Amino acid sequence: MHNCLVAQSGGPTVAINSSLAGVIQGAIDSRQFDRVYGSLNGVQGLLNGKLMDLSQKTEEIPMFIELLKKSPSMYLGSCRYQLPDYTDDDAPYAFIFNKFKQFDIGAFFYIGGNDSMDTVAKLSAYAKQINNPIKIIGIPKTIDNDLCVTDHTPGYGSAAKYIASTLLEIGHDTSIYPINSVTIVEIMGRDAGWLTGASALARNEYNSAPHLIYLPEVPFHETEFIEDVKSALKKYNNIVIAVSEGIKDESGRYISATSAVEDTFGHSQLSGTGKCLEYIIKQNLQVKVRSVEINILQRSAAHLSSVTDIGEAFRLGMHAVKTAIEGKTGIMVTAVRRTNNPYVVDMGETDVKNVAGLIKHVPREWINERGNDVTQDFIDYAYPLILGEPVVKYQRGIPDYLNISHLYPNP
Amino acid sequence: MHNCLVAQSGGPTVAINSSLAGVIQGAIDSRQFDRVYGSLNGVQGLLNGKLMDLSQKTEEIPMFIELLKKSPSMYLGSCRYQLPDYTDDDAPYAFIFNKFKQFDIGAFFYIGGNDSMDTVAKLSAYAKQINNPIKIIGIPKTIDNDLCVTDHTPGYGSAAKYIASTLLEIGHDTSIYPINSVTIVEIMGRDAGWLTGASALARNEYNSAPHLIYLPEVPFHETEFIEDVKSALKKYNNIVIAVSEGIKDESGRYISATSAVEDTFGHSQLSGTGKCLEYIIKQNLQVKVRSVEINILQRSAAHLSSVTDIGEAFRLGMHAVKTAIEGKTGIMVTAVRRTNNPYVVDMGETDVKNVAGLIKHVPREWINERGNDVTQDFIDYAYPLILGEPVVKYQRGIPDYLNISHLYPNP
């Protein structure tokens, strides 16, 4: 029997540890692997020999798995390491495959976004090239939901739930004064508007916030925006605007890079979109305005995750082990939505080449014509993904998550 | 039998509706009032005749009370209306007391911060002056915890719990890369550091974030700050800094008003402190840095409130009714901590003049000598206030709060 190896990469989500838990559980249940190794900080752990035996403490596994499923961020840490093309430089490949051999790795599971799927593609192609039978499987994760083929990505549902709940709470917060106000909420998503669109799920029988929604998929026009705000203020005292950090103008330039915000610090990081819109409103309308950037909270708030999301992340981890045992390699496991009502999702898989380096945008027809809201189709798509609340344990008043001191340099 | 009236004022908290629920429950239980009226948008509701009968739907009261206790923001809306001194202009007073008479109000309960206590002081002084027997009682609320006499204020415990939990999640989020990084978290509190200090409650057996804490009570020195960050980066890869929006330099000038951040927009609102520190670090250290502003989420996130806080807010509402029936007026009800271990809080009261317009700062001895952390005394004080998690119901994936469409202009 061989061992298997699992690693995490890219940015954190609330569900990525649940996929890790699924891999561990799947590998143990299969009885096809001696040990489940975890590589710290993605493939870097392999390069510098930082591996953890995740299957060692057998008697504690059920508790560990349960807590892991509900713990935020990345238990194994992350990396931004990008493999070179092996035809240009195969030295890292030789090193990695030597490590695979040293630790007797029969299958490698890599949980990540489309950069990580690029790594899966390269490693599996190299393995094929050198006739190494190792199975290399990608497991999707990203709050951005912008991976192709899979119906949606683990991490998205929880972030969407957090965003919708937060927008509802902001709706309550902004309604208290009988004066006009505008609150802009900047949401993550450089290239795709999936997260920002999920803010529409905040609407209920009484709450109509957010009143305007702007996604990166539609060019942003300042004059139309001002008109939209004016028009909304005729209907509502306090309007809430959800905007993606990645909105761009007609020429494809990020809005956050076009304003004075950049000039102050002399760098163009995408954290100023909300501030830009705040500035535009201040310049053009006499109204109280503030901007709120949800920032990293939307990807790390495990206290408010979606049971649907956490459950599917776990199933994808289990399914990845199954596909490896079936002899598949160079694939990414996927969520396949069979029916929407009732919501039924099967596990599937796709050649990782169909995913690596590609981006899935919100379809134009799921955005209204004016480009300032999503349609019912979008809502029907996103709604099942945010359902269900896990029981989160608290200790001393704060959530009881898994100890991650192994990630610290001086534990 | 007379009626009673209740209103809310100032900024929202997660617990202010629980105090409203306590007033309603207390008034109904006492059988001393025919009706409980709620004034929409603070005293403005009285001025423009927008009153709700909160005791009308008797058969639904238990459900209404339960949901009200857990709903964020302000069910009756708010106002920023400031009464003039009645010796200068008694016209609004005559108008308000005429309304009191019209609605046969025997007691008026005003839930708010120190501005609202100023209103309570003025109205009760005027009542005494004109020999009107109405009882006017203040009920404290503010996430800032900066009201005098009361051990702490309703709303603080929940905001503190949200901040501590969020800082723990940020601790997880920032630990994933084996590189150096600095994350600055800007927390509310213009004048007092109670909220920012509560970030220390995020620390547990493995999490040492936040590694540095800066409160407005101690002058901020840029050079010491840079030294602090350098020193922390020797010990930890990824450091997290909690900073109050209201930190000031030696001359008392807000740090957010001293930097380039102001120059861009030409206004000096206190939302840029985190960005200022980010800028200082970028200018002085070669390290990845980002800033996160928790913003209004810390005062509106009812999905993560403290049972201790919500429960005490309710008791204070009940107690306010009791004091009115006992014939007291011109007072604010208070939380009196009898013992800390076990944590026991009694209800008390104080002359509202001891509270109106005054600010309670974090004692200097609860901040370490260097001014970059709080002491164990602070932690012992704040810790019991964040304990306990309410069961929050969800509907369609988002929290199930009370309908507030009565606050909208076009319901």
Side-chain angles (χ1 to χ4, degrees), chain A residues 105-181:
Chain A
I105 305 300
F108 174 43
F109 306 102
Y110 207 35
I111 317 173
N114 55 23
D115 284 348
S116 312
M117 294 313 136
D118 178 66
T119 301
V120 171
K122 284 171 173 167
L123 289 177
S124 54
Y126 182 80
K128 194 176 172 189
Q129 165 93 356
I130 63 167
N131 286 315
N132 185 313
I134 188 171
K135 308 298 176 261
I136 299 181
I137 314 283
I139 302 169
K141 74 85 217 174
T142 167
I143 62 166
D144 294 329
N145 198 41
D146 60 356
L147 294 193
C148 294
V149 189
T150 189
D151 178 79
H152 54 275
T153 57
Y156 172 63
S158 294
K161 185 187 190 78
Y162 182 83
I163 287 165
S165 300
T166 297
L167 264 286
L168 173 63
E169 290 170 341
I170 289 175
H172 276 257
D173 191 279
T174 56
S175 298
I176 59 166
Y177 294 115
I179 54 162
N180 279 339
S181 76

Side-chain angles (χ1 to χ4, degrees), chain A residues 192-208:
Chain A
W194 297 105
L195 283 173
T196 305
S199 65
L201 300 170
R203 296 176 188 148
N204 61 17
E205 55 168 323
Y206 62 89
N207 174 56
S208 45

Side-chain angles (χ1 to χ4, degrees), chain B residues 113-192:
Chain B
N114 55 24
D115 285 347
S116 313
M117 294 313 136
D118 179 65
T119 302
V120 170
K122 284 171 172 165
L123 288 176
S124 55
Y126 182 80
K128 195 177 171 190
Q129 165 93 356
I130 62 166
N131 285 316
N132 186 312
I134 189 172
K135 308 298 175 260
I136 299 180
I137 313 284
I139 302 169
K141 75 83 218 172
T142 167
I143 61 166
D144 293 330
N145 199 40
D146 59 357
L147 294 193
C148 295
V149 188
T150 188
D151 179 78
H152 54 278
T153 59
Y156 173 63
S158 293
K161 184 187 191 78
Y162 181 83
I163 288 165
S165 299
T166 297
L167 263 286
L168 172 64
E169 289 170 342
I170 290 175
H172 276 257
D173 191 278
T174 55
S175 297
I176 59 167
Y177 293 115
I179 55 161
N180 280 338
S181 76
V182 176
T183 303
I184 296 151
V185 184
E186 180 184 326
I187 297 168
M188 282 181 165
R190 265 188 181 71
D191 304 303

Side-chain angles (χ1 to χ4, degrees), chain B residues 177-375:
Chain B
Y177 293 115
I179 55 161
N180 280 338
S181 76
V182 176
T183 303
I184 296 151
V185 184
E186 180 184 326
I187 297 168
M188 282 181 165
R190 265 188 181 71
D191 304 303
W194 298 105
L195 283 173
T196 305
S199 65
L201 299 171
R203 296 175 188 149
N204 61 18
E205 56 170 321
Y206 62 89
N207 173 56
S208 45
H211 306 88
L212 296 167
I213 299 177
Y214 297 96
L215 311 188
E217 281 81 358
V218 178
F220 180 84
H221 299 279
E222 188 174 321
T223 48
E224 287 187 12
F225 170 66
I226 296 165
E227 282 169 20
D228 289 352
V229 174
K230 276 186 185 165
S231 162
L233 282 170
K234 281 182 191 150
K235 234 173 129 183
Y236 304 98
N237 274 343
N238 308 286
I239 72 162
V240 177
I241 300 169
V243 63
S244 165
E245 61 174 341
I247 55 166
K248 303 172 196 78
D249 65 17
E250 198 72 68
S251 68
R253 207 169 159 216
Y254 286 115
I255 296 301
S256 59
T258 59
S259 97
V261 171
E262 188 198 22
D263 302 333
T264 318
F265 299 129
H267 53 81
S268 63
Q269 67 185 21
L270 293 182
S271 61
T273 309
K275 280 278 166 215
C276 289
L277 300 202
E278 183 182 329
Y279 185 61
I280 290 171
I281 291 175
K282 276 192 175 137
Q283 293 286 82
N284 290 279
L285 298 167
Q286 297 301 317
V287 63
K288 189 186 156 198
V289 56
R290 86 155 78 212
S291 62
V292 178
E293 189 186 346
I294 302 188
N295 214 310
I296 55 176
L297 311 186
Q298 64 202 289
R299 72 181 190 196
S300 55
H303 72 267
L304 181 54
S305 62
S306 151
V307 159
T308 303
D309 185 31
I310 300 295
E312 287 177 359
F314 186 78
R315 286 172 67 200
L316 283 166
M318 297 267 286
H319 187 67
V321 175
K322 184 165 166 276
T323 59
I325 292 169
E326 289 168 357
K328 290 170 183 161
T329 186
I331 58 160
M332 182 186 86
V333 291
T334 59
V336 183
R337 193 181 311 216
R338 292 297 174 205
T339 60
N340 202 41
N341 195 8
Y343 174 72
V344 176
V345 162
D346 288 342
M347 300 292 103
E349 59 257 2
T350 186
D351 190 317
V352 76
K353 289 193 200 98
N354 300 325
V355 183
L358 301 170
I359 288 171
K360 184 173 73 182
H361 295 284
V362 176
R364 182 59 185 86
E365 62 271 24
W366 286 9
I367 305 167
N368 71 353
E369 205 187 318
R370 175 74 171 184
N372 65 12
D373 206 342
V374 294
T375 66

